[in-house]
Amino acid sequence: MTEHQHPGYADRKADHLKRLRRIEGQVRGLQRMVEEEQYCIDVLTQISAATKALQSVALGLLDEHLGHCVADAIHHGGPEADAKIREASDAIARLVRS
């Protein structure tokens, strides 16, 4: 990405920040649950919900990256296109492993 370009998620930045702040609140709630020694299964259920919420944000960002950054690199061709495809593939692999 060159300096003058915006990231693929720039148009939805406010939405992403709102979701991440909500997830941050979920994680603070998890801390409270552990501090209050709440039932294990209830804590695990909330951890699962927070994990799914983070995965959803990640998939949205990945989709925007593919549609913006990778598509733009492919349009221009050359070694940058190959690098962006490899970068996207590596990001997908990290998401699948998590």
Side-chain angles (χ1 to χ4, degrees):
M1 187 172 73
T2 60
E3 288 183 37
H4 67 281
Q5 289 180 322
H6 297 288
Y9 62 84
D11 291 341
R12 297 195 52 224
K13 179 181 172 180
D15 293 335
H16 291 306
L17 287 171
K18 181 178 178 181
R19 293 182 79 188
L20 288 168
R21 287 184 185 109
R22 191 175 319 128
I23 294 166
E24 181 181 21
Q26 284 180 287
V27 172
R28 281 193 306 270
L30 281 164
Q31 291 170 344
R32 269 191 310 279
M33 290 178 81
V34 171
E35 286 172 353
E36 296 169 0
E37 299 180 0
Q38 293 199 15
Y39 186 55
C40 303
I41 297 302
D42 294 340
V43 176
L44 290 170
T45 298
Q46 292 306 310
I47 289 172
S48 178
T51 300
K52 293 290 185 198
L54 277 172
Q55 288 171 341
S56 177
V57 171
L59 289 173
L61 288 171
L62 178 62
D63 184 57
E64 290 162 351
H65 179 67
L66 292 171
H68 180 266
C69 302
V70 176
D72 187 55
I74 290 171
H75 175 74
H76 289 95
E80 184 181 349
D82 294 336
K84 287 291 181 191
I85 291 169
R86 168 62 30 219
E87 179 184 66
S89 180
D90 291 346
I92 293 166
R94 284 191 303 275
L95 286 172
V96 170
R97 283 192 303 266
S98 63

